[in-house]
Every structure is written in structure tokens, then in C-alpha cells.
Amino acid sequence: MTAAPGRRADDNRPMRARMQEHASNPVCSSCHLTFEPMGWALENFNLVGQWRSTDAGQTIDTSGSFIDGSKFTGPAELRTGLLKYRTAYYSNITQRLLGYALGRPAKAWTVYDYEMPAVRTILRESAAHDYRWSSIVLGIVKSTPFQMKTE
């Protein structure tokens, strides 16, 4: 018997059942409990992006929840729910892009507290342009931290 990609031949449980083991393992749970509840909405897509309705012979459960506890089912409801967090998303992306532009270490790409006024300015100005990537990147390039970068 040949196993599906990413699956041992002796493990025919659906992905959700296998991932729930991580939630019970203290070493794994801190990360898995953060991203898995949202990721289940995309479980209908296989490894190459094709739509599927079953996994290991069982109907796929695409229900999940956000950090605030609100529930959703499937990609459309995930997208609708994520719009509630639009400001936080763009703030996080802007901070990471600015950190990258400043040459900070790859896993961190953080900005310091004293750089947050620049982030807020970038966000305020890019909001007027519907948070287009070009407006965020231009805001980073025009920002004081980037302009004052010495390396």
C-alpha cells in the first residue's frame, strides 16, 4: 500500500486527527494551538492546491476559530473574519518589512519601541491608499529609521 505524500503507510487518519496529537504535546502545542485553528479553513486544498472533500475517507472538517474565540467554517468565512484584524495584519507586516529593510536578523525582523511612530505614520499614510503594497514600501523608504540607517 502506498501512502499519500507526507503520510506514513501505517497512518491513515485524517490530517486533523494527526495534528491534534501536537496540541496535546507540550513541546509542540504552543505553536500548533496558535496557527492550526485558522489553518483548518484551508484543509480542503491538497498539497498541490487541488480541492478535495475527503481525507483518509472522512469528510474534511474546515471549522476553526480565531484567537478571540469567534468561529468560522471554510475559506470564505476565514477571509471575512480576518478582515476584523486588518489593522493588526498591516501593522505586523509593516513592522516585519521595516525590520527587514533595516537589516535586522531574519527570524526577528523586529522594530524597536522608538521606531513605532514611524510604523504608525506609514500605516496612516498607506490607509489612504487602501494599504497598497507600493504605499507601504514607499512609506518604509521615506521613514526616518530607514533614512537614518548607517549600514
Side-chain angles (χ1 to χ4, degrees):
M1 176 169 142
T2 303
R7 189 179 278 182
R8 295 187 331 247
D10 64 341
D11 194 352
N12 279 333
R13 295 174 297 152
M15 177 65 75
R16 191 176 197 112
R18 289 182 285 137
M19 290 296 104
Q20 285 173 336
E21 288 179 9
H22 293 286
S24 63
N25 182 336
V27 175
C28 306
S29 66
S30 63
C31 291
H32 280 267
L33 290 176
T34 301
F35 60 79
E36 279 179 4
M38 288 193 294
W40 295 125
L42 305 175
E43 190 61 21
N44 283 117
F45 297 101
N46 71 8
L47 295 173
V48 294
Q50 295 172 317
W51 187 264
R52 62 197 180 127
S53 299
T54 61
D55 182 18
Q58 295 183 18
T59 301
I60 293 173
D61 176 7
T62 59
S63 63
S65 62
F66 291 106
I67 195 96
D68 67 2
S70 58
K71 308 273 187 218
F72 59 84
T73 300
E77 289 182 19
L78 171 65
R79 181 186 186 283
T80 300
L82 285 173
L83 290 175
K84 293 187 301 189
Y85 300 102
R86 186 177 185 178
T87 304
Y89 169 77
Y90 284 114
S91 177
N92 190 355
I93 289 295
T94 302
Q95 290 176 56
R96 300 295 173 236
L97 288 174
L98 179 58
Y100 175 78
L102 295 173
R104 304 272 163 77
K107 294 225 177 192
W109 289 344
T110 57
V111 295
Y112 301 118
D113 289 344
Y114 62 84
E115 295 165 326
M116 286 306 292
V119 170
R120 288 189 291 274
T121 299
I122 294 165
L123 290 170
R124 195 170 34 257
E125 292 174 2
S126 66
H129 303 283
D130 199 30
Y131 298 103
R132 290 207 155 144
W133 287 107
S134 57
S135 67
I136 293 172
V137 171
L138 182 60
I140 289 170
V141 171
K142 291 171 28 180
S143 72
T144 301
F146 186 80
Q147 292 287 318
M148 300 299 286
K149 181 180 167 199
T150 58
E151 297 175 6

